[in-house]
Amino acid sequence: MAPERDTAPRERTVSGATAASRSRGTRLDQPRAPRRRLLPEWDPEAFGRLSERIARFLGTGRFIVWMTIVIILWVVWNVSAPSSLRFDEYPFIFLTLMLSLQASYAAPLILLAQNRQDDRDRVNLEQDRKQNERSIADTEYLTREIAALRIGLGEVATRDWIRSELQDALKELEERQNGHHPDRGVFPAERSRGRDVHDR
């Protein structure tokens, strides 16, 4: 007896990446929602520009003058002000802490600015190297072209050579008409061949 066939429609099971994506409810035609991160996000380029600006200011004489004025006012206030208004007594521990904090932030900012400058210098150096290679290739091409033109011009009759040949031919015609050289032709082969070698 033949086994009975299941006439109920079978549900098609989807496996692999398609099943996983459908189970999560994501669609490929829509962008993903941004993930929430615990760390704050920032623009590295904007932060780098800010660090360069701060490092550039730290390397000026204006910063040294302002820092010196602030330190002098700090010390004078905490020495000569009434005791109730002083916020940092004689060893000036708070001032030392502030200067250490400023130095600890200034050093990484300066290093970051130097790294960005090194990256820019590396890119500029690579561009200069490629430009030099193109200039050398163009110079070699132009040199070969000029050499080819000089070789080509060496095989072309110049105006002075043609003029000298016409003058010689005119002289030969005049001598033949005067009858001085009746046996010589108008254009002697030996003479024209010698002029062709030496006059070009």
Side-chain angles (χ1 to χ4, degrees):
M1 185 172 177
E4 296 181 358
R5 293 183 180 179
D6 188 9
T7 57
R10 294 184 180 178
E11 294 183 359
R12 301 176 68 183
T13 59
V14 183
S15 60
T18 308
S21 63
R22 287 185 181 176
S23 65
R24 288 196 302 266
T26 58
R27 295 179 56 181
L28 296 178
D29 59 342
Q30 293 180 354
R32 286 185 177 180
R35 295 180 180 179
R36 295 180 180 178
R37 295 183 180 180
L38 298 177
L39 297 176
E41 296 183 3
W42 65 88
D43 185 10
E45 190 66 24
F47 185 74
R49 287 195 299 269
L50 178 64
S51 66
E52 286 181 343
R53 195 175 302 166
I54 293 173
R56 198 174 294 116
F57 175 70
L58 292 177
T60 59
R62 190 184 345 175
F63 170 74
I64 297 174
V65 170
W66 280 109
M67 189 174 68
T68 304
I69 291 172
V70 168
I71 290 174
I72 290 173
L73 291 176
W74 187 298
V75 171
V76 169
W77 178 266
N78 287 296
V79 169
S80 61
S83 300
S84 59
L85 298 177
R86 295 178 189 174
F87 55 89
D88 192 13
E89 291 295 332
Y90 163 65
F92 306 118
I93 298 174
F94 189 52
L95 176 62
T96 305
L97 177 64
M98 294 299 294
L99 292 176
S100 300
L101 186 64
Q102 181 263 333
S104 64
Y105 272 98
L109 288 174
I110 292 172
L111 288 176
L112 180 60
Q114 287 179 352
N115 290 337
R116 285 172 58 86
Q117 185 63 39
D118 290 340
D119 293 339
R120 281 197 297 270
D121 292 342
R122 191 178 302 110
V123 171
N124 291 334
L125 184 63
E126 184 68 21
Q127 291 178 352
D128 291 342
R129 187 182 64 81
K130 291 181 180 179
Q131 183 65 33
N132 290 336
E133 289 178 356
R134 286 195 295 268
S135 299
I136 291 172
D138 292 341
T139 304
E140 290 177 354
Y141 173 75
L142 291 175
T143 304
R144 288 193 296 269
E145 289 296 318
I146 291 172
L149 288 175
R150 290 182 64 183
I151 293 172
L153 286 176
E155 298 175 356
V156 175
T158 61
R159 184 175 58 183
D160 295 335
W161 181 80
I162 293 173
R163 183 181 298 156
S164 64
E165 289 294 322
L166 289 175
Q167 288 175 356
D168 291 342
L170 184 60
K171 190 183 296 182
E172 291 289 338
L173 284 173
E174 289 176 354
E175 290 176 356
R176 185 170 181 180
Q177 285 179 358
N178 293 334
H180 293 150
H181 301 284
D183 55 341
R184 296 181 63 185
V186 179
F187 299 102
E190 295 82 2
R191 178 149 189 171
S192 64
R193 198 178 304 121
R195 295 289 297 179
D196 185 47
V197 172
H198 296 292
D199 293 342
R200 288 190 181 182

